[in-house]
Amino acid sequence: MKNIAVFCSGYGSNLQAIINSVKKKKIKARIALVLSDRVDAYALVRARKEKIPVLYADPVDFKDRVSYDRFLILNLKKKKIDYVVLAGFMRLMSPYFIRCFRGRVLNIHPSLLPSFKGTQGIKDALSYGVKITGVTVHFVDEKLDHGPIIAQGALEIKATDTQTTLAERIHRLEHKLYPQAVRLLIENKLKIQGRKVKQK
Ligand code: GAR
């Protein structure tokens, strides 16, 4: 059985969707660790409820990004983690981290990449005035919201949408798309060829 670590900074609704898929045995893997860089992340509460081991690591306790990531890698090795799933983890991983886990780190982003990278994907799409936005699941590489794309889902922005109503639909789409992509990863069905991801 493969071991997954899920990294979260906030509410953890994507973590919950993955937990639910594991419980239903749609994802045949163990969530062996939930890590957060924020002590108040509700994701930690969700993990504890499910008796999943948690780790809180505050970036201010480390001298730089690489020492933080070294600490993470140490803990991932201890738990024999095979795959890392970023679920609302609002930190850029160092090149050192990526080298250690190349092709084994996924991220979900609330826009149709390469549009609206960064921490405000939903708000930025809405204020730009695009009519279509969506969700992207991708492998993580050294650059922000950049790696090869595994899956995307699109939705229409309505004239009446606010950030709240749009976020609701985005999250619903995320909770469908992310567990499916994690499942493909666990079942070793994804093959990276340059910027493209093929399904085996
Ligand atoms: C999700 O919408 C995810 O796409 C986004 O943070 C949210 C976390 O929600 N991630 C990013 O913006 C990464 N750049 P959650 O904590 O409820 O899963």
Side-chain angles (χ1 to χ4, degrees):
M1 177 94 77
K2 298 285 185 193
N3 287 325
I4 311 176
V6 185
F7 289 9
C8 309
S9 298
Y11 187 56
S13 67
N14 281 286
L15 166 67
Q16 192 65 56
I18 293 164
I19 290 174
N20 296 347
S21 286
V22 169
K23 281 178 153 178
K24 286 186 197 149
K25 300 198 180 352
K26 288 186 179 164
I27 297 173
K28 293 189 182 65
R30 182 184 305 113
I31 304 175
L33 183 69
V34 169
L35 169 122
S36 182
D37 59 335
R38 294 191 53 131
V39 69
D40 57 349
Y42 187 67
L44 291 173
V45 176
R46 294 180 191 272
R48 288 192 186 105
K49 260 190 206 156
E50 303 290 338
K51 311 236 177 327
I52 298 168
V54 300
L55 177 65
Y56 157 61
D58 189 343
V60 303
D61 295 336
F62 297 81
K63 80 171 193 303
D64 54 25
R65 189 177 297 275
V66 175
S67 27
Y68 185 82
D69 282 4
R70 273 188 206 288
F71 177 76
L72 299 192
I73 294 286
L74 209 75
N75 281 279
L76 296 179
K77 283 193 175 149
K78 262 193 222 160
K79 295 270 177 202
K80 299 192 180 352
I81 298 297
D82 300 291
Y83 298 106
V84 174
V85 174
L86 308 183
F89 190 61
M90 297 304 188
R91 280 177 65 82
L92 186 63
M93 309 316 293
S94 66
Y96 166 74
F97 188 97
I98 301 303
R99 267 201 306 282
C100 294
F101 268 81
R102 190 171 298 282
R104 296 190 290 144
V105 188
L106 291 198
N107 184 42
I108 188 154
H109 184 75
S111 76
L112 291 174
L113 291 174
S115 292
F116 310 115
K117 297 176 179 182
T119 58
Q120 302 289 335
I122 300 173
K123 185 170 168 228
D124 291 348
L126 191 62
S127 45
Y128 195 88
V130 291
K131 304 292 186 198
I132 306 277
T133 188
V135 168
T136 304
V137 179
H138 64 95
F139 282 106
V140 175
D141 67 7
E142 286 82 356
K143 294 186 201 156
L144 176 71
D145 299 329
H146 176 269
I149 292 172
I150 298 165
Q152 288 186 306
L155 53 80
E156 219 171 302
I157 298 183
K158 299 174 192 159
T160 52
D161 263 326
T162 62
Q163 209 178 304
T164 312
T165 59
L166 181 57
E168 246 172 49
R169 298 208 305 292
I170 290 270
H171 290 142
R172 231 178 291 142
L173 189 54
E174 289 188 332
H175 302 159
K176 242 176 68 186
L177 218 60
Y178 213 10
Q180 285 170 2
V182 172
R183 178 183 185 166
L184 291 174
L185 181 76
I186 296 297
E187 293 178 357
N188 196 25
K189 289 195 173 141
L190 301 174
K191 192 172 159 64
I192 305 174
Q193 284 180 337
R195 270 221 56 87
K196 305 227 173 108
V197 179
K198 303 254 162 83
Q199 226 169 291
K200 290 189 214 164

